[in-house]
């Protein structure tokens, strides 16, 4: 969860648009007794969300570099001074 804010929320929502139908299909197969296929679909749906949240993509790298650079360059003054 390294993408706070509105952009991270929109990215999560877009991922859920694709992951929820896959997960619901898996649940339906599980209820029909097709455990291997249903479990597979549920695992794929969970992995879609997990990878989107925790995988660093090439588009995330410039933002991370900029955040570290700003953190080193712009120091906040102490309250005691």
């Amino acid at each position: 969860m390294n993408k706070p804010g509105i952009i991270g929320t929109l990215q999560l929502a877009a991922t859920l648009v694709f992951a929820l139908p896959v997960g619901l299909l898996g649940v339906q197969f599980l209820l029909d007794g097709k455990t291997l296929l249903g479990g597979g679909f549920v695992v794929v749906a969970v992995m879609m969300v997990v990878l989107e949240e925790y995988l660093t993509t090439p588009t995330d790298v410039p933002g991370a570099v900029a955040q570290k650079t700003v953190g080193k360059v712009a120091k906040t003054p102490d309250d005691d001074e």
Side-chain angles (χ1 to χ4, degrees), residues 25-42:
L25 179 65
V27 169
Q28 184 62 44
F29 278 143
L30 286 172
L31 292 175
D32 290 342
K34 300 175 184 175
T35 56
L36 183 62
L37 194 56
F41 278 122
V42 170

Side-chain angles (χ1 to χ4, degrees), residues 6-60:
I6 190 74
I7 300 298
T9 303
L10 291 174
Q11 288 175 342
L12 178 61
T15 302
L16 288 174
V17 164
F18 294 105
L20 284 175
V22 174
L24 290 175
L25 179 65
V27 169
Q28 184 62 44
F29 278 143
L30 286 172
L31 292 175
D32 290 342
K34 300 175 184 175
T35 56
L36 183 62
L37 194 56
F41 278 122
V42 170
V43 167
V44 167
V46 169
M47 291 305 296
M48 287 171 71
V49 176
V50 168
L51 289 177
E52 191 277 329
E53 283 293 311
Y54 295 108
L55 188 68
T56 302
T57 62
T59 58
D60 295 337

